[in-house]
Amino acid sequence: IVMTQSPATLSVSPGERATLSCRASQYVSSNLAWYQQKPGQAPRLLIYGASTRATGIPARFSGSGSGTEFTLTISSLQSEDFAVYYCQQYNNWPPGTFGQGTKLEIK
Amino acid sequence: EVQLVESGGGLAPPGESLRLSCAASGFTFSNYAISWVRQAPGKGLEWVSTFSGGEGNINYADSVKGRFSIFRDNSKNMLYLQMNSLRVEDTAVYYCAKGDTVTTLGYFDCWGQGILVTVSS
């Protein structure tokens, strides 16, 4: 199974909305997670079950989709949100199938 | 507080071995799958291996199968990765990651800080 994220790089101004996409090559139901990774840091779980925010994640992060098409939306970008975002499916083998990442950068 | 702390990385020449350790705390260790995920310099995330909770099923990525071994000591809340026959392409930051359930297939709800492994002559 292949996870494809788009775009590879997204340039957005602070305060604006960012929309990141993730597509699975096979059906994954709602078994889709999103992670945020800042330079020099470990990934952090943002969303699981395609749309459930992990503990402590601000409400400006939202996930949607099911099947093969998924979206991560950040409603009003804060300076600390500029990072790389990865999606991961956990419906099919192998267990840790990640997308290649989307780099969210300041415009 | 759930915490994972990796140790044991460093520099090794091709063909040699290294062992990574992951010390876990803040949760009932034996009830959860624990995995190793790596990230080559400037690259994305790559799943390496998982040791499930409960019955203890073990799985490896094809890229490390036959060279790496994962094992855990539930009495010490420790996970290990024995890396043999190291290759240059094994160079990466290795993360220990806690699964959300006892089974292998799941998302990763807590990550260690990562440990760098460099394979070079």
Side-chain angles (χ1 to χ4, degrees):
Chain A
I1 187 168
V2 177
M3 306 300 292
T4 303
Q5 292 185 241
S6 61
T9 302
L10 182 61
S11 299
V12 182
S13 300
E16 293 188 341
R17 174 188 298 257
T19 302
L20 289 68
S21 297
C22 175
R23 173 178 292 179
S25 63
Q26 300 174 26
Y27 176 82
V28 299
S29 186
S30 294
N31 295 314
L32 190 285
W34 290 94
Y35 302 87
Q36 177 193 66
Q37 187 179 34
K38 297 179 180 180
Q41 296 185 17
R44 177 176 70 146
L45 177 67
L46 296 176
I47 301 284
Y48 62 92
S51 61
T52 303
R53 280 189 304 276
T55 303
I57 301 303
R60 64 180 182 272
F61 291 90
S62 63
S64 63
S66 67
T68 61
E69 300 282 346
F70 301 89
T71 300
L72 174 69
T73 302
I74 311 170
S75 59
S76 178
L77 280 165
Q78 307 296 303
S79 57
E80 62 266 29
D81 299 335
F82 293 95
V84 179
Y85 292 83
Y86 294 95
C87 63
Q88 177 228 343
Q89 71 83 24
Y90 51 97
N91 191 71
N92 304 324
W93 190 263
T97 310
F98 295 93
Q100 81 280 16
T102 290
K103 181 180 181 180
L104 181 57
E105 63 177 27
I106 299 175
K107 187 175 182 180
Chain B
E1 178 193 5
V2 175
Q3 195 169 14
L4 300 168
V5 179
E6 302 93 339
S7 59
L11 175 65
E16 293 299 311
S17 300
L18 279 176
R19 177 180 291 187
L20 304 183
S21 301
C22 171
S25 60
F27 63 101
T28 305
F29 184 71
S30 60
N31 288 354
Y32 293 90
I34 310 291
S35 300
W36 291 99
V37 178
R38 68 184 181 183
Q39 186 170 37
K43 303 298 184 182
L45 301 168
E46 178 191 15
W47 170 75
V48 174
S49 181
T50 298
F51 201 126
S52 73
E55 295 180 351
N57 295 314
I58 292 174
N59 298 99
Y60 299 99
D62 287 344
S63 58
V64 306
K65 199 173 295 182
R67 301 187 299 120
F68 290 12
S69 296
I70 189 172
F71 52 103
R72 67 193 286 169
D73 183 339
N74 288 339
S75 68
K76 297 181 179 179
N77 289 359
M78 293 291 296
L79 179 76
Y80 304 94
L81 185 68
Q82 178 66 41
M83 304 185 295
N84 298 332
S85 302
L86 283 164
R87 302 170 180 170
V88 171
E89 55 264 34
D90 294 321
T91 295
V93 173
Y94 284 72
Y95 295 101
C96 176
K98 173 185 168 293
D100 67 299
T101 69
V102 66
T103 61
T104 298
L105 212 55
Y107 57 88
F108 306 109
D109 60 10
C110 182
W111 298 65
Q113 84 285 357
I115 192 84
L116 178 62
V117 170
T118 303
V119 183
S120 174
S121 54

